[in-house]
Amino acid sequence: IVATADVSNPKDVQRILSDAQHQFGQLNGVFHLAGDLHHKSVSRPFAELTPADIDTQARPKIDGFKVLDRELRDQELDFGVVFSSNASILGGVGFGAYAAANALVDRLWFANKGTEPFQWLVTNWDGWRASIRPGDRNGKRAGGTNPFLLTEEEGLDALWRIICISTVSQVVIAKGNLGERLETWVRQQHPVTRDRSVESQAQVIGARPDGRVRAGARTELEQNIIDIWEELLGRDGIGV
């Protein structure tokens, strides 16, 4: 059956579960994939996020999980799979609200761990590439050039293997080398390299037009930030 419901609304979830059990009998498993990927909050810069944006991403992911967990707590299911995103691990430009909602749902199942007849399994995914469908522009769907997108075949194969043989409570599914991506985007162990052989190594690196001096970097973090701004602005001599 296909039904429309708000997964964060207990009455809607109770109705859907009742209809499914009436038509099919005992439930064997559940997938929690609810999310809003079309709202502007999914790619809005962090500084521009509003409480409404946070709520838009949190309601289906977090409130929806809480409702499902409560309604299914007495069910003896074979599995319960939560679909989360690798954005909660790697972040992403514009993914502030979306990454935060996924990061929280990654942790929510800990609260009731061991209290249900079945164990929730959290899966963190790279994006999935949808199949080409009639009407797609130039035969391609948006995001088709993303090298980290999984095909439907890859995603379904991974999901089947995880459900059948996983012995852990959280699994990360990544198309590329996750360690390298963590180093680049999270730990940032590979900052921009610049040739400073002819640059002054003095602590005081110059003066502003108003006569005030520009202080040089005191830590590696400060130097990395200066490198980014100099690269962005195309000029040297930026101080702390």
mmCIF file of all heavy atoms in Angstrom, residues 91-121:
data_model
loop_
_atom_site.group_PDB
_atom_site.id
_atom_site.type_symbol
_atom_site.label_atom_id
_atom_site.label_comp_id
_atom_site.label_asym_id
_atom_site.label_seq_id
_atom_site.Cartn_x
_atom_site.Cartn_y
_atom_site.Cartn_z
ATOM 1 N N GLY A 91 29.913 16.523 7.284
ATOM 2 C CA GLY A 91 29.408 17.878 7.114
ATOM 3 C C GLY A 91 29.121 18.147 5.643
ATOM 4 O O GLY A 91 28.855 17.243 4.870
ATOM 5 N N GLY A 92 29.195 19.400 5.253
ATOM 6 C CA GLY A 92 28.940 19.764 3.869
ATOM 7 C C GLY A 92 28.506 21.209 3.785
ATOM 8 O O GLY A 92 27.781 21.701 4.656
ATOM 9 N N VAL A 93 28.955 21.908 2.751
ATOM 10 C CA VAL A 93 28.612 23.315 2.575
ATOM 11 C C VAL A 93 27.103 23.464 2.418
ATOM 12 O O VAL A 93 26.498 22.861 1.540
ATOM 13 C CB VAL A 93 29.333 23.904 1.347
ATOM 14 C CG1 VAL A 93 28.909 25.353 1.136
ATOM 15 C CG2 VAL A 93 30.843 23.810 1.525
ATOM 16 N N GLY A 94 26.487 24.241 3.289
ATOM 17 C CA GLY A 94 25.048 24.453 3.231
ATOM 18 C C GLY A 94 24.229 23.384 3.914
ATOM 19 O O GLY A 94 23.008 23.460 3.937
ATOM 20 N N PHE A 95 24.891 22.373 4.494
ATOM 21 C CA PHE A 95 24.164 21.247 5.085
ATOM 22 C C PHE A 95 23.960 21.391 6.593
ATOM 23 O O PHE A 95 23.733 20.401 7.278
ATOM 24 C CB PHE A 95 24.930 19.943 4.823
ATOM 25 C CG PHE A 95 24.706 19.368 3.451
ATOM 26 C CD1 PHE A 95 23.952 20.040 2.516
ATOM 27 C CD2 PHE A 95 25.268 18.152 3.101
ATOM 28 C CE1 PHE A 95 23.750 19.517 1.244
ATOM 29 C CE2 PHE A 95 25.072 17.612 1.835
ATOM 30 C CZ PHE A 95 24.315 18.302 0.902
ATOM 31 N N GLY A 96 24.042 22.618 7.128
ATOM 32 C CA GLY A 96 23.981 22.800 8.573
ATOM 33 C C GLY A 96 22.796 22.131 9.238
ATOM 34 O O GLY A 96 22.949 21.297 10.134
ATOM 35 N N ALA A 97 21.578 22.483 8.819
ATOM 36 C CA ALA A 97 20.367 21.928 9.438
ATOM 37 C C ALA A 97 20.229 20.443 9.127
ATOM 38 O O ALA A 97 19.869 19.639 10.002
ATOM 39 C CB ALA A 97 19.134 22.696 8.954
ATOM 40 N N TYR A 98 20.500 20.076 7.895
ATOM 41 C CA TYR A 98 20.364 18.675 7.472
ATOM 42 C C TYR A 98 21.362 17.782 8.199
ATOM 43 O O TYR A 98 21.009 16.709 8.719
ATOM 44 C CB TYR A 98 20.579 18.598 5.963
ATOM 45 C CG TYR A 98 20.539 17.210 5.382
ATOM 46 C CD1 TYR A 98 19.339 16.530 5.247
ATOM 47 C CD2 TYR A 98 21.709 16.578 4.949
ATOM 48 C CE1 TYR A 98 19.295 15.252 4.705
ATOM 49 C CE2 TYR A 98 21.677 15.299 4.415
ATOM 50 C CZ TYR A 98 20.465 14.643 4.283
ATOM 51 O OH TYR A 98 20.434 13.375 3.757
ATOM 52 N N ALA A 99 22.623 18.220 8.278
ATOM 53 C CA ALA A 99 23.650 17.431 8.959
ATOM 54 C C ALA A 99 23.347 17.304 10.445
ATOM 55 O O ALA A 99 23.533 16.238 11.043
ATOM 56 C CB ALA A 99 25.024 18.061 8.749
ATOM 57 N N ALA A 100 22.861 18.380 11.056
ATOM 58 C CA ALA A 100 22.548 18.346 12.480
ATOM 59 C C ALA A 100 21.420 17.370 12.776
ATOM 60 O O ALA A 100 21.486 16.601 13.748
ATOM 61 C CB ALA A 100 22.172 19.744 12.965
ATOM 62 N N ALA A 101 20.381 17.375 11.955
ATOM 63 C CA ALA A 101 19.257 16.456 12.167
ATOM 64 C C ALA A 101 19.713 15.012 12.046
ATOM 65 O O ALA A 101 19.314 14.143 12.838
ATOM 66 C CB ALA A 101 18.147 16.756 11.160
ATOM 67 N N ASN A 102 20.564 14.733 11.068
ATOM 68 C CA ASN A 102 21.061 13.366 10.896
ATOM 69 C C ASN A 102 21.997 12.961 12.034
ATOM 70 O O ASN A 102 21.963 11.816 12.495
ATOM 71 C CB ASN A 102 21.771 13.240 9.549
ATOM 72 C CG ASN A 102 20.809 13.081 8.395
ATOM 73 O OD1 ASN A 102 20.294 12.006 8.128
ATOM 74 N ND2 ASN A 102 20.549 14.177 7.699
ATOM 75 N N ALA A 103 22.824 13.891 12.496
ATOM 76 C CA ALA A 103 23.736 13.584 13.596
ATOM 77 C C ALA A 103 22.971 13.234 14.863
ATOM 78 O O ALA A 103 23.362 12.329 15.618
ATOM 79 C CB ALA A 103 24.672 14.769 13.852
ATOM 80 N N LEU A 104 21.871 13.931 15.092
ATOM 81 C CA LEU A 104 21.094 13.653 16.300
ATOM 82 C C LEU A 104 20.363 12.313 16.200
ATOM 83 O O LEU A 104 20.327 11.548 17.170
ATOM 84 C CB LEU A 104 20.095 14.784 16.554
ATOM 85 C CG LEU A 104 19.314 14.703 17.871
ATOM 86 C CD1 LEU A 104 20.255 14.531 19.050
ATOM 87 C CD2 LEU A 104 18.460 15.953 18.055
ATOM 88 N N VAL A 105 19.800 12.019 15.030
ATOM 89 C CA VAL A 105 19.099 10.737 14.896
ATOM 90 C C VAL A 105 20.084 9.568 14.989
ATOM 91 O O VAL A 105 19.722 8.472 15.410
ATOM 92 C CB VAL A 105 18.298 10.683 13.575
ATOM 93 C CG1 VAL A 105 19.149 10.283 12.386
ATOM 94 C CG2 VAL A 105 17.110 9.718 13.707
ATOM 95 N N ASP A 106 21.374 9.820 14.644
ATOM 96 C CA ASP A 106 22.403 8.791 14.820
ATOM 97 C C ASP A 106 22.537 8.373 16.275
ATOM 98 O O ASP A 106 22.931 7.241 16.580
ATOM 99 C CB ASP A 106 23.769 9.307 14.345
ATOM 100 C CG ASP A 106 23.868 9.428 12.837
ATOM 101 O OD1 ASP A 106 22.924 9.029 12.143
ATOM 102 O OD2 ASP A 106 24.897 9.940 12.366
ATOM 103 N N ARG A 107 22.235 9.308 17.176
ATOM 104 C CA ARG A 107 22.458 9.061 18.605
ATOM 105 C C ARG A 107 21.187 8.715 19.369
ATOM 106 O O ARG A 107 21.257 8.184 20.474
ATOM 107 C CB ARG A 107 23.085 10.308 19.250
ATOM 108 C CG ARG A 107 24.385 10.744 18.601
ATOM 109 C CD ARG A 107 25.515 9.739 18.832
ATOM 110 N NE ARG A 107 26.747 10.158 18.197
ATOM 111 C CZ ARG A 107 27.141 9.741 17.010
ATOM 112 N NH1 ARG A 107 26.388 8.899 16.314
ATOM 113 N NH2 ARG A 107 28.276 10.166 16.492
ATOM 114 N N LEU A 108 20.032 9.022 18.801
ATOM 115 C CA LEU A 108 18.784 8.852 19.536
ATOM 116 C C LEU A 108 18.521 7.412 19.964
ATOM 117 O O LEU A 108 17.989 7.170 21.046
ATOM 118 C CB LEU A 108 17.598 9.347 18.692
ATOM 119 C CG LEU A 108 17.301 10.843 18.722
ATOM 120 C CD1 LEU A 108 16.126 11.160 17.817
ATOM 121 C CD2 LEU A 108 17.009 11.302 20.140
ATOM 122 N N TRP A 109 18.892 6.461 19.109
ATOM 123 C CA TRP A 109 18.562 5.084 19.421
ATOM 124 C C TRP A 109 19.298 4.601 20.672
ATOM 125 O O TRP A 109 18.879 3.647 21.322
ATOM 126 C CB TRP A 109 18.874 4.168 18.232
ATOM 127 C CG TRP A 109 20.329 4.111 17.873
ATOM 128 C CD1 TRP A 109 20.992 4.946 17.029
ATOM 129 C CD2 TRP A 109 21.296 3.183 18.344
ATOM 130 N NE1 TRP A 109 22.312 4.601 16.935
ATOM 131 C CE2 TRP A 109 22.523 3.513 17.739
ATOM 132 C CE3 TRP A 109 21.250 2.094 19.221
ATOM 133 C CZ2 TRP A 109 23.698 2.804 17.987
ATOM 134 C CZ3 TRP A 109 22.414 1.387 19.466
ATOM 135 C CH2 TRP A 109 23.622 1.745 18.857
ATOM 136 N N PHE A 110 20.401 5.296 21.052
ATOM 137 C CA PHE A 110 21.122 4.911 22.265
ATOM 138 C C PHE A 110 20.233 5.046 23.506
ATOM 139 O O PHE A 110 20.393 4.313 24.475
ATOM 140 C CB PHE A 110 22.363 5.787 22.461
ATOM 141 C CG PHE A 110 23.551 5.336 21.669
ATOM 142 C CD1 PHE A 110 24.004 6.078 20.593
ATOM 143 C CD2 PHE A 110 24.219 4.168 21.993
ATOM 144 C CE1 PHE A 110 25.104 5.669 19.852
ATOM 145 C CE2 PHE A 110 25.320 3.753 21.259
ATOM 146 C CZ PHE A 110 25.760 4.506 20.187
ATOM 147 N N ALA A 111 19.314 6.006 23.469
ATOM 148 C CA ALA A 111 18.506 6.298 24.655
ATOM 149 C C ALA A 111 17.688 5.088 25.108
ATOM 150 O O ALA A 111 17.506 4.867 26.305
ATOM 151 C CB ALA A 111 17.592 7.485 24.384
ATOM 152 N N ASN A 112 17.200 4.329 24.130
ATOM 153 C CA ASN A 112 16.355 3.184 24.471
ATOM 154 C C ASN A 112 17.015 1.856 24.107
ATOM 155 O O ASN A 112 16.336 0.835 23.984
ATOM 156 C CB ASN A 112 15.006 3.293 23.757
ATOM 157 C CG ASN A 112 14.215 4.496 24.211
ATOM 158 O OD1 ASN A 112 14.108 4.773 25.399
ATOM 159 N ND2 ASN A 112 13.668 5.237 23.261
ATOM 160 N N LYS A 113 18.321 1.884 23.934
ATOM 161 C CA LYS A 113 19.037 0.672 23.540
ATOM 162 C C LYS A 113 18.804 -0.441 24.562
ATOM 163 O O LYS A 113 18.989 -0.261 25.766
ATOM 164 C CB LYS A 113 20.532 0.962 23.422
ATOM 165 C CG LYS A 113 21.337 -0.202 22.872
ATOM 166 C CD LYS A 113 22.797 0.186 22.679
ATOM 167 C CE LYS A 113 23.592 -0.969 22.103
ATOM 168 N NZ LYS A 113 25.026 -0.614 21.921
ATOM 169 N N GLY A 114 18.372 -1.577 24.064
ATOM 170 C CA GLY A 114 18.162 -2.743 24.918
ATOM 171 C C GLY A 114 16.772 -2.844 25.499
ATOM 172 O O GLY A 114 16.445 -3.828 26.163
ATOM 173 N N THR A 115 15.912 -1.823 25.251
ATOM 174 C CA THR A 115 14.570 -1.853 25.817
ATOM 175 C C THR A 115 13.532 -2.404 24.851
ATOM 176 O O THR A 115 12.413 -2.692 25.246
ATOM 177 C CB THR A 115 14.138 -0.446 26.262
ATOM 178 O OG1 THR A 115 14.055 0.412 25.112
ATOM 179 C CG2 THR A 115 15.144 0.134 27.262
ATOM 180 N N GLU A 116 13.880 -2.515 23.568
ATOM 181 C CA GLU A 116 12.928 -3.019 22.584
ATOM 182 C C GLU A 116 13.170 -4.498 22.295
ATOM 183 O O GLU A 116 14.280 -5.007 22.499
ATOM 184 C CB GLU A 116 13.044 -2.250 21.245
ATOM 185 C CG GLU A 116 12.926 -0.744 21.372
ATOM 186 C CD GLU A 116 14.274 -0.085 21.435
ATOM 187 O OE1 GLU A 116 15.257 -0.765 21.792
ATOM 188 O OE2 GLU A 116 14.357 1.117 21.131
ATOM 189 N N PRO A 117 12.133 -5.195 21.820
ATOM 190 C CA PRO A 117 12.317 -6.594 21.419
ATOM 191 C C PRO A 117 13.227 -6.734 20.197
ATOM 192 O O PRO A 117 13.719 -7.807 19.902
ATOM 193 C CB PRO A 117 10.885 -7.051 21.087
ATOM 194 C CG PRO A 117 9.988 -6.079 21.778
ATOM 195 C CD PRO A 117 10.727 -4.775 21.758
ATOM 196 N N PHE A 118 13.459 -5.631 19.473
ATOM 197 C CA PHE A 118 14.351 -5.644 18.329
ATOM 198 C C PHE A 118 15.338 -4.491 18.470
ATOM 199 O O PHE A 118 15.130 -3.576 19.260
ATOM 200 C CB PHE A 118 13.573 -5.509 17.009
ATOM 201 C CG PHE A 118 12.956 -4.151 16.810
ATOM 202 C CD1 PHE A 118 13.601 -3.178 16.056
ATOM 203 C CD2 PHE A 118 11.729 -3.831 17.383
ATOM 204 C CE1 PHE A 118 13.042 -1.923 15.884
ATOM 205 C CE2 PHE A 118 11.164 -2.577 17.221
ATOM 206 C CZ PHE A 118 11.812 -1.627 16.464
ATOM 207 N N GLN A 119 16.434 -4.539 17.721
ATOM 208 C CA GLN A 119 17.485 -3.521 17.812
ATOM 209 C C GLN A 119 17.487 -2.645 16.563
ATOM 210 O O GLN A 119 17.553 -3.147 15.450
ATOM 211 C CB GLN A 119 18.857 -4.187 17.962
ATOM 212 C CG GLN A 119 20.015 -3.212 18.015
ATOM 213 C CD GLN A 119 19.958 -2.310 19.235
ATOM 214 O OE1 GLN A 119 19.986 -2.786 20.355
ATOM 215 N NE2 GLN A 119 19.849 -1.002 19.014
ATOM 216 N N TRP A 120 17.399 -1.337 16.753
ATOM 217 C CA TRP A 120 17.513 -0.414 15.621
ATOM 218 C C TRP A 120 18.924 -0.484 15.037
ATOM 219 O O TRP A 120 19.906 -0.600 15.768
ATOM 220 C CB TRP A 120 17.239 1.019 16.051
ATOM 221 C CG TRP A 120 15.797 1.341 16.282
ATOM 222 C CD1 TRP A 120 15.169 1.469 17.491
ATOM 223 C CD2 TRP A 120 14.798 1.599 15.290
ATOM 224 N NE1 TRP A 120 13.845 1.780 17.318
ATOM 225 C CE2 TRP A 120 13.592 1.876 15.966
ATOM 226 C CE3 TRP A 120 14.797 1.620 13.894
ATOM 227 C CZ2 TRP A 120 12.397 2.172 15.299
ATOM 228 C CZ3 TRP A 120 13.626 1.911 13.230
ATOM 229 C CH2 TRP A 120 12.438 2.179 13.921
ATOM 230 N N LEU A 121 19.009 -0.375 13.731
ATOM 231 C CA LEU A 121 20.284 -0.346 13.027
ATOM 232 C C LEU A 121 20.370 0.983 12.278
ATOM 233 O O LEU A 121 19.508 1.299 11.454
ATOM 234 C CB LEU A 121 20.388 -1.505 12.035
ATOM 235 C CG LEU A 121 21.563 -1.495 11.050
ATOM 236 C CD1 LEU A 121 22.885 -1.579 11.800
ATOM 237 C CD2 LEU A 121 21.435 -2.660 10.065
#
